[in-house]
Amino acid sequence: MKRRFFSLVLSLIFASSVLAGMATQVNAREGVAYADRPFYQMDTTFHPEKDELTGHMVVTLPEKRTEPQNEVYFRLYPNAFQNWKHKVSKPEKPGYIRVFHVKVDGKSVEPDIKETVMKVQLPRPLQDGQSARIEMDFLLHLPRGGMRLNTFKNTAFLAQWYPMLAVRDQHGWHTEPYTTTGDPFYSVMSDFEVTFRLPEGYRVISTGNNKNQPAGSKITIKQDQVRDFAAVLTKDYRSVSGKYKDIQVNLWYMNGMEDVAKPLLEAAVSGMKFYSEKFGPYPYDEVDVVLGETGEGIAGMEYPGLVTSIPKIGTKKGIQPAVNVVVHELAHQWWYGVVGNNQAKEPWLDEGLTTFSEFLYMEEKMKEDERELLERASKKADEIHQTAGISSAQPLYDYPEPVYGLMVYIRPAAMLYELMDEIGKEKVLEILRTYYHRYQYKVATTRDFIRTANEVAGKDLTPFFQKWLYFKEA
């Protein structure tokens, strides 16, 4: 989720204006690569006075492949902040990442870097069953006022911050361009061992386990089987904590947010319990919720084991703790975190399921029924489709920003509510549970979701999904 500050009402207003204008188990590892996923080892040093982080990274490639591999692509997303090409969210100060001293199995190679994509040619083709060790040094210069990747006061938000392996699947390498609409990120499960060397007073909030961590020291965090590794390096935050079963839930807040810390922690613990019971168990031992709107897209984002949220939001009852944002982002731990998808190609698949999950929580736990609003949103989506030909199952690059939320978040949520009316709530939840268990740690597609729904329902629901996702009548 790029940002969910908009209310559904505002989303409808924005959409109207555009319409008018258009007319498995998580195991510990001991430095040995698993055959089917990459292993990242990073040793980094944070220099807050320069807004920089320097590091050395080693990536051990997985052994499994269907054909010989001659090259490797990495995503250098911080370079998007150097020469900003987008109409919104221009950083106050540019950011970038520089890569040096690249080696493959000890042999120096010269990478080919073009903006946010780096190609590394392998000295020899890798066959199935073979691995390679790619190492490099990098310098990350953090932007100020950027999206997701940002610095604010004594805090650095590290999102998509290191050279990330691009995904290679049956369609080839995925090096889609950066965009400010949606989340243009596609990643697969990897293992991480990340060391941060921090100045005095700083600590790490991260994808991994943050327990028993002294401030201002060398800190090493290990986390297996996650799609990405995000971190917040900070002197500004403090926390309150709770538990659901063996899951540690931490709520991080800054001065001035004390009044929402307790209710949002309670919502976070409640949300983790709710989704674990509805969809399947959360497979990690900790999750962090970090509050604070400190830049475009910072608050209201999901990462494995770590989410961000605004502290308060406007509601029908006035300004309230942002419970809906917290539980929305936590639902992404299931839909994106454990069950992955190509967010650039099929963004509805995680955002739609997550929005439905959020609405279900808010209905059952907060007694907020938004059925009427969902119906209005669906009618507005029909009008937009008739005028502009846009559906709910397209790549994110096809969407004008103002209709993205309506088509990708809200209409698919309305679709699942309609499906509950047709086949029953318990059957829809059984579909989601089956989908979760079948595709955990994998990358699923729209076709996979529909196939699962058909099997669980015991009948062909394809025409139903064709109507809601593609606006195709039977």
Side-chain angles (χ1 to χ4, degrees):
M1 168 183 185
K2 180 179 124 248
R3 182 181 177 93
R4 199 169 192 281
F5 299 168
F6 59 83
S7 68
L8 296 185
V9 175
L10 285 177
S11 181
L12 290 177
I13 293 172
F14 290 154
S16 297
S17 65
V18 170
L19 178 61
M22 293 178 174
T24 303
Q25 179 80 24
V26 180
N27 300 307
R29 68 185 302 156
E30 296 297 335
V32 179
Y34 286 115
D36 61 347
R37 59 184 189 260
F39 178 31
Y40 291 83
Q41 295 169 288
M42 288 182 266
D43 192 327
T44 70
T45 303
F46 182 43
H47 310 277
E49 72 284 356
K50 300 179 182 179
D51 287 338
E52 288 183 349
L53 184 139
T54 54
H56 180 75
M57 183 175 84
V58 178
V59 179
T60 305
L61 300 182
E63 297 174 0
K64 290 185 178 180
R65 54 188 50 81
T66 57
E67 59 185 29
Q69 183 176 344
N70 297 300
E71 72 282 316
V72 178
Y73 285 86
F74 288 84
R75 301 310 311 268
L76 306 180
Y77 289 113
N79 284 345
F81 298 96
Q82 183 166 21
N83 298 304
W84 194 247
K85 299 179 179 180
H86 310 281
K87 295 180 180 179
V88 298
S89 310
K90 183 177 181 180
E92 300 168 15
K93 189 186 73 173
Y96 53 82
I97 187 168
R98 298 286 180 265
V99 178
F100 316 94
H101 311 131
V102 180
K103 297 180 180 180
V104 179
D105 292 332
K107 182 178 180 180
S108 295
V109 297
E110 190 64 33
D112 180 13
I113 299 176
K114 295 179 180 177
E115 297 183 341
T116 63
V117 178
M118 177 174 72
K119 178 181 178 181
V120 176
Q121 194 71 36
L122 299 177
R124 59 180 176 84
L126 286 182
Q127 308 294 330
D128 184 37
Q130 295 180 332
S131 180
R133 178 184 170 95
I134 303 176
E135 61 182 306
M136 65 193 74
D137 296 320
F138 66 90
L139 183 153
L140 171 67
H141 187 79
L142 289 156
R144 284 189 177 268
M147 295 181 64
R148 308 178 183 92
L149 183 69
N150 196 10
T151 54
F152 180 80
K153 295 184 178 179
N154 297 306
T155 298
F157 294 87
L158 303 183
Q160 292 86 39
W161 55 280
Y162 53 92
M164 296 174 63
L165 280 171
V167 175
R168 185 192 189 205
D169 59 19
Q170 66 272 27
H171 303 293
W173 287 101
H174 288 268
T175 56
E176 292 89 351
Y178 184 90
T179 177
T180 57
T181 300
D183 305 319
F185 312 115
Y186 179 22
S187 56
V188 295
M189 289 296 181
S190 301
D191 300 334
F192 291 86
E193 182 179 298
V194 184
T195 295
F196 294 99
R197 300 173 190 272
L198 303 175
E200 183 178 354
Y202 276 86
R203 65 166 301 136
V204 181
I205 309 165
S206 77
T207 287
N209 193 308
N210 310 300
K211 287 188 289 190
N212 303 320
Q213 180 189 125
S217 62
K218 174 185 172 183
I219 299 159
T220 298
I221 300 172
K222 298 180 181 181
Q223 183 62 62
D224 288 351
Q225 199 114 305
V226 289
R227 298 187 188 279
D228 186 5
F229 193 98
V232 179
L233 312 181
T234 184
K235 289 174 67 174
D236 299 329
Y237 278 90
R238 48 197 167 123
S239 67
V240 289
S241 299
K243 271 200 167 187
Y244 165 62
K245 292 187 175 179
D246 294 329
I247 303 167
Q248 178 85 4
V249 183
N250 304 313
L251 188 287
W252 298 87
Y253 64 98
M254 294 188 288
N255 289 337
M257 300 178 186
E258 291 84 357
D259 59 331
V260 299
K262 183 178 178 181
L264 291 183
L265 173 64
E266 291 173 352
V269 173
S270 173
M272 295 300 291
K273 178 178 185 292
F274 184 82
Y275 298 137
S276 292
E277 292 175 347
K278 295 292 186 187
F279 309 135
Y282 179 73
Y284 311 105
D285 61 2
E286 185 178 84
V287 68
D288 293 290
V289 180
V290 182
L291 302 182
E293 167 54 349
T294 58
E296 179 74 20
I298 293 292
M301 268 303 302
E302 72 279 358
Y303 311 98
L306 187 158
V307 304
T308 62
S309 173
I310 50 174
K312 297 180 180 180
I313 195 169
T315 72
K316 297 174 183 177
K317 302 175 183 178
I319 302 299
Q320 298 285 327
V323 170
N324 66 314
V325 181
V326 168
V327 298
H328 178 101
E329 302 310 333
L330 288 175
H332 270 299
Q333 297 302 308
W334 280 257
W335 318 125
Y336 150 77
V338 178
V339 178
N341 62 292
N342 184 340
Q343 297 181 97
K345 182 181 180 181
E346 296 182 310
W348 87 269
L349 198 50
D350 65 294
E351 293 297 359
L353 297 187
T354 295
T355 303
F356 170 75
S357 303
E358 170 206 339
F359 276 45
L360 199 63
Y361 176 91
M362 296 300 289
E363 182 180 303
E364 291 194 19
K365 296 299 183 181
M366 305 299 290
K367 309 306 177 186
E368 294 186 9
D369 187 347
E370 299 289 2
R371 294 283 193 109
E372 181 181 347
L373 196 52
L374 286 173
E375 291 175 6
R376 288 168 49 204
S378 294
K379 290 179 181 178
K380 183 59 63 179
D382 286 337
E383 295 175 21
I384 291 173
H385 175 73
Q386 290 171 7
T387 303
I390 298 173
S391 74
S392 289
Q394 295 182 215
L396 60 83
Y397 304 99
D398 293 348
Y399 295 101
E401 177 72 30
V403 304
Y404 177 73
L406 179 65
M407 285 293 190
V408 172
Y409 290 60
I410 303 171
R411 182 175 170 88
M415 172 185 75
L416 292 175
Y417 268 91
E418 177 70 17
L419 189 59
M420 286 199 301
D421 291 339
E422 290 200 13
I423 66 173
K425 180 177 180 179
E426 287 308 312
K427 189 61 71 173
V428 171
L429 290 176
E430 185 183 348
I431 289 170
L432 292 172
R433 283 193 295 270
T434 303
Y435 176 71
Y436 177 73
H437 286 288
R438 182 173 294 177
Y439 295 104
Q440 59 184 339
Y441 311 122
K442 301 176 183 178
V443 173
T445 65
T446 298
R447 181 176 296 180
D448 294 328
F449 182 80
I450 295 175
R451 183 187 302 115
T452 302
N454 290 343
E455 291 177 12
V456 174
K459 63 178 182 178
D460 187 7
L461 295 172
T462 304
F464 174 87
F465 291 112
Q466 287 284 326
K467 172 186 174 183
W468 277 93
L469 296 174
Y470 302 99
F471 295 82
K472 293 181 180 180
E473 295 295 338

